[in-house]
Amino acid sequence: MGAAPARLFQLRGRRGVSSQEGLGAPLLRVSSSPGCLLRWCPCCFCLLAPQILEDYLLVEDVPLLEEMAEEDEELDLYNEMTFGLDRDSTEEDAVKTPVPLERSPDLAETEEEPQADEGQPPPEEQGEPQGEGGMEPDAEQVGSEEEEEQLGAEEEHEDEPNDLGDPAVMRAVQSKPTLESQDSAVLDSRIGSVWAEFGKEDMLAMEPMVWGSCPSSIPPHPVLEDKAILQVLETPPPAANVALDFLSSPVQRGYAGSPRLNRPDFRGTSPKSFSQRFLRQSTGYAPPTRFRPLSPTVGTPPRPLAMHFGPMSPSLDPSPFFSPSASSQFNFSMPSHLTQLHPQHQRILTQRQQQGGTVQRYGGPGGLGSVPGGLWVLTAGCGLPRDSVSPKKLWSPKADPYAGLMTCKEKDWVVKVEMIQLQSETMDDDYYYQTYYHRLERKQAEEELMGGRNKQEPPKLVTPFIQKVETYNSVVRIAGSLGQVAVSTCYSPRRAIDAVHHALVEEAAGSHRLRALHRIERLFLQLLEVEEMQRKVSLAPEEQEQKTQEAGRIYQALKIRACSSEEEAEDEFLQVLCVRKGKKLTARLLPHLASEQAEKILLTITHHLPFLMKKDALDESLPLLYSPLNEVVGRMTFSRLIQVLQEITRPLPESDEFPLAMALKNQFGITLLYSLLSRGEGLLSSETPLEPHGRDFETWTDTVFLVARELSQVPKASLVEPLFLPSNLLSLFCRYLDKQTVHHLEAKMECSPLPSEAAMPC
Amino acid sequence: MNYMPGTASLIQDIDKKHLVLLRDGRTLIGFLRSIDQFANLVLHQTVERIHVGKKYGDIPRGIFVVRGENVVLLGEIDLEKESDTPLQQVSIEEILEEQRLELQAKQESEKLKVQALKERGLAVPRADTLDEY
């Protein structure tokens, strides 16, 4: 288990251990027993007090309790500082809890209940996630035991499970045998029919009151069980309205129309309090007076209490909960040295302050009250914003008794975690989010320039800023202690062994293909860095240099061996090119390379063109390369051009076929060919000095003739349409060929006819 | 309105009826009650819907907790449009039978195909050797 302390709970129920037994009662300890559910803060992975699902009873020493509780507190504090979770808000809420709210349900039940401990239960109740109402008493009971034992630690303990922000935590279950047997995969098929009942028509037609009432046959077991609920749903009792009077009226008394709503998860409180009472009544034991005391002798309430212990009363208008309400909701406390306000935050926060509560975001006001620096505030609200509930939507929270199972706090928590994930230095972590905002900013900057409007602040997400702990202290020494405590945080989980990371031996990684894939991935990452460098608008000369260096490095890694006669399967660059991503890599790399390097790539590709075309037959991704290669061609000198063309026109060793002929049948091939020819023609007709070497012109002419011949021979059907048809090809042919042939070719290539024949020199 | 523009979040989808497609091919329909940062889902009043041809059958399942990584996609169901579907609902037994038949037919055709390939001396395409790029 680890160094984190095990918290000890006492379970009643099965073994008949009364809650009123003192510490001599058997206590449960989490050990390696399998039935224990460990609670941990999902972000920190620090072990919190474990919860016990099944009861394994072991006797444990009492004094340990206190010690462990202290350590718990430390962890709590740490988490709180990191996340600023709702300890304070809970307490605030407790304080601000409208007393009428708490009282009115009570009043409905029994008039004589002392309100002594009013303040105490609410933190417990409201803080907890909505779940099995049946578990509440136990937890409270348990908590109360501990409070008796430990002085001054009680509130934290009570709040602790919730404060650490893990709404997923479930409390220990007071289990009766029937509970466990419930989980069959196919439940009562009545559910289906219930669902049909629950269809949209019913939603409309269903009275708000119906859901909560129950027949007298409701099983006393409070657990949210479909079967139980089925019974409830299927037999709407006659006394519907009567049954829920106590529910609706006090609630409405307390709430209706009240804009000041401080308890976003109100719905958790009232039904829960009912449930507790209900349970206590049904199980018949007297809870300690810490909680809302009930006389154990109170029997089943005169009115049937069919509690859905989670969901809120449908009679309530949910909108107060979700509308902008007192800003106290969202006051996550404290600036600590760990949570600092991001500079962008500050701007936005002050903005919001000015705008006041008029900013309607997702239901939450974002209103802050006083915001000292160092406060981080989530603008996230919870539930449905009013706007989004369109009139067409029939499934409104009003009609859905299970709505709101996920409390505001939980939603906020999830949102918080998501926003934390958005913070990152690199683009890799959340590309879409970053790009979205870059684009938005750019657009607004443009608008600003054009429209001359006032500078609009792009609505940024207010993300919680967390300073990451860079250093890892594997051993923490507590002052004055004799030993070491190994602290785990989410950034430095406990290091069990000092494992040294060995570089992967790629070469032994198996097949060629796998190796090629590995290389592609590695090089792609490098390419992304190069592009990142490129993206910086102002590139200082040394950065430029650095960029070309990086690009050069990738080029070297590609191991391009132009015009090698080596077996193509051995050529690593070609293997890379066989993969679509490899082609993409090359295509994106080409613009960043020096012209020599780029030309070398072009040369290699043309040299191995038949091989590449054959490999590409399935994938058809060669056209990816066309565009950057076209750029390269466009910058080539005449002699280099001739070199490349020679590659296409040299006869293949094995067959008589020219690569040329094959190229004509492949889209990429033919386009590349046209592009080369076009460049040549462009150069020739441009009057710039060509500086030809040796037999360049002759080779050129030969090539042109060869191409023309092939074109005329190839049946039109197998001639593929190129991606792009340069316009000067015909004039090229005109230069060398007779009119008839040119016409023939024109028809074949489906070029647009030249402007005027008379103007042609041929 | 999305209060986290530029991001996708399931917060808005809570308490709405969803159709969830899982990686193992199952289709679940239920009310989305709770989520977490991994997109683990809690579905309420879940029904597993099996489609065979033009028929479908619903198996009520109750409450589902789905681990986020197993979700392929999910989408909200428009309650108004939910019922106009050309598909025909049948009983559970019938749809399971149909499914079994369909599976059987597929297996047989697969067997024939493999047989034919073997006869011609061709390799049987296996998932692990297919190109992924």
Side-chain angles (χ1 to χ4, degrees), chain A residues 42 185-187 189 195 200 226 360-362 380 392-393 395 400 402-406 411 413-415 417-419 422 433 436-437 461 513 517 521 579 581 619, chain B residues 1 3-12 14-17 29-31 33-37 44-47 59-63 76 79-80 83 131-133:
Chain A
V186 180
L187 293 185
S189 58
W195 203 355
K200 50 171 181 158
D226 284 355
Q360 169 88 8
R361 286 201 175 219
Y362 200 80
K392 284 208 302 181
K393 291 218 154 86
W395 192 250
D400 182 7
Y402 298 98
L405 270 168
M406 199 178 179
K411 289 184 190 173
W413 180 84
V414 171
V415 165
V417 172
E418 288 177 357
M419 298 235 253
L422 289 174
Y433 171 66
Y436 177 84
Y437 272 103
L461 285 190
R513 182 160 185 81
L517 295 177
E521 290 303 322
V579 179
K581 194 163 183 182
D619 213 12
Chain B
M1 145 182 154
Y3 73 98
M4 288 214 296
T7 66
S9 178
L10 285 171
I11 294 276
Q12 296 276 12
I14 296 244
D15 291 333
K16 296 186 184 150
K17 196 164 179 184
I29 296 175
F31 293 97
R33 292 298 178 198
S34 186
I35 56 161
D36 69 354
Q37 72 269 34
H44 181 228
Q45 290 175 347
T46 318
V47 146
I59 306 177
R61 294 287 191 190
I63 298 179
E76 190 187 334
L79 291 166
E80 288 170 3
S83 30
D131 280 356
E132 285 179 37
Y133 280 81

Side-chain angles (χ1 to χ4, degrees), chain A residues 158-170:
Chain A
E158 287 318 309
D159 296 340
E160 175 225 335
N162 177 58
D163 276 352
L164 292 162
D166 186 1
V169 170
M170 300 305 257

